Amino acid sequence: MTKKEIALAAVQALKEEYPDAKCSLDYQTPLQLLIATRLSAQCTDARVNMVTPALFERFPDAESFARADASEVAPYIQSCGLYKTKSRDIVAMAKMIMEDFGGEVPDNIPDLTKLPGVGRKTANLICGDVYGKPAVVVDTHCIRITTKLGLHKETDQKKIEDALRRLLPPEESNDFCHRLVLHGRAVCTARSPKCADCCMNTFCRAGVKELKNGH
């Protein structure tokens, strides 16, 4: 199979396995998803979802975050880890959104990545989930599983994103990445992938090899 054929087969297999593809972070506004994603760095989505209700009640919009001091935000997110850096980033990004973008979260990757603490992974998530644009969210699950599938041999996030954009149908790419997260947690785990139980084991290059070797 070509890489393109593997990619299309993976899209279909994961769609059947996980019909409900959505972000596991809870949010109601673009800003809330942006902040929740920043908080999720080196922290579980479940933990982020526990702290954000009180945070967003205290700071309901970009203006209130922009007026705040990082020390006021910190106590709400302390259990997420790296809370001092994250607090500074959240206040700084809110100020930039107010001053440079008229209070609206940008809808494109170049502008989003200008915001403090926002990289391409977060920018793609916002573009895909909020604005419905073709997006490729390259997180650890995406990197691990697409490498095993044989879709690329890259290690750089931007190069992986570019490679997947060439292989995936644009209208499927965002949901595909969400499904990779679900599959990475349930089946293709980092420590002990369950190749025998995998819906992609007939065409995943690493999986086929594992099963052939009797693992």
Side-chain angles (χ1 to χ4, degrees), residues 8 40 58 85 126 143 160 172 174 205 209 211:
L8 294 176
S40 70
R58 171 65 179 80
T85 303
I126 298 298
I143 294 169
I160 293 171
E172 297 283 0
N174 195 48
R205 289 179 181 174
K209 199 176 290 184
L211 294 174

Side-chain angles (χ1 to χ4, degrees), residues 152-213:
H152 61 83
K153 293 181 179 177
E154 306 291 350
T155 54
D156 176 77
Q157 272 190 312
K158 176 67 166 65
K159 289 180 179 178
I160 293 171
E161 180 189 327
D162 291 341
L164 295 179
R165 282 188 187 277
R166 291 192 293 269
L167 295 171
L168 296 167
E171 70 279 6
E172 297 283 0
S173 59
N174 195 48
D175 286 348
F176 176 74
C177 293
H178 284 319
R179 291 182 174 114
L180 287 179
V181 174
L182 297 174
H183 193 64
R185 289 172 178 167
V187 179
C188 192
T189 59
R191 290 185 179 177
S192 55
K194 306 176 184 71
C195 294
D197 300 330
C198 180
C199 61
M200 300 186 286
N201 62 19
T202 57
F203 55 83
C204 171
R205 289 179 181 174
V208 168
K209 199 176 290 184
E210 280 287 310
L211 294 174
K212 193 175 180 181
N213 293 336

Side-chain angles (χ1 to χ4, degrees), residues 28-189:
Q28 293 180 319
T29 68
L31 180 71
Q32 288 185 359
L33 179 58
L34 185 66
I35 290 171
T37 307
R38 180 68 190 93
L39 293 176
S40 70
Q42 297 182 38
C43 179
T44 65
D45 290 354
R47 166 60 58 184
V48 173
N49 289 338
M50 288 171 65
V51 307
T52 49
L55 176 69
F56 295 147
E57 186 176 351
R58 171 65 179 80
F59 305 101
D61 50 29
E63 189 178 356
S64 56
F65 273 112
R67 285 201 311 262
D69 188 86
S71 62
E72 296 174 77
V73 175
Y76 290 90
I77 65 170
Q78 194 163 352
S79 63
C80 290
L82 304 173
Y83 68 96
K84 290 181 180 177
T85 303
K86 291 176 181 179
S87 300
R88 286 196 297 270
D89 283 348
I90 289 169
V91 171
M93 73 168 66
K95 285 179 178 173
M96 187 179 284
I97 287 170
M98 292 302 298
E99 293 168 6
D100 296 355
F101 301 107
E104 299 293 327
V105 173
D107 65 353
N108 61 86
I109 289 173
D111 283 342
L112 282 162
T113 51
K114 291 176 186 173
L115 298 172
V118 176
R120 293 190 68 86
K121 183 181 83 169
T122 298
N124 269 283
L125 183 68
I126 298 298
C127 284
D129 277 36
V130 174
Y131 295 112
K133 296 184 175 184
V136 177
V137 180
V138 180
D139 65 359
T140 55
H141 298 291
C142 176
I143 294 169
R144 182 175 72 254
I145 298 172
T146 56
T147 301
K148 284 177 176 289
L149 282 166
L151 298 182
H152 61 83
K153 293 181 179 177
E154 306 291 350
T155 54
D156 176 77
Q157 272 190 312
K158 176 67 166 65
K159 289 180 179 178
I160 293 171
E161 180 189 327
D162 291 341
L164 295 179
R165 282 188 187 277
R166 291 192 293 269
L167 295 171
L168 296 167
E171 70 279 6
E172 297 283 0
S173 59
N174 195 48
D175 286 348
F176 176 74
C177 293
H178 284 319
R179 291 182 174 114
L180 287 179
V181 174
L182 297 174
H183 193 64
R185 289 172 178 167
V187 179
C188 192
T189 59

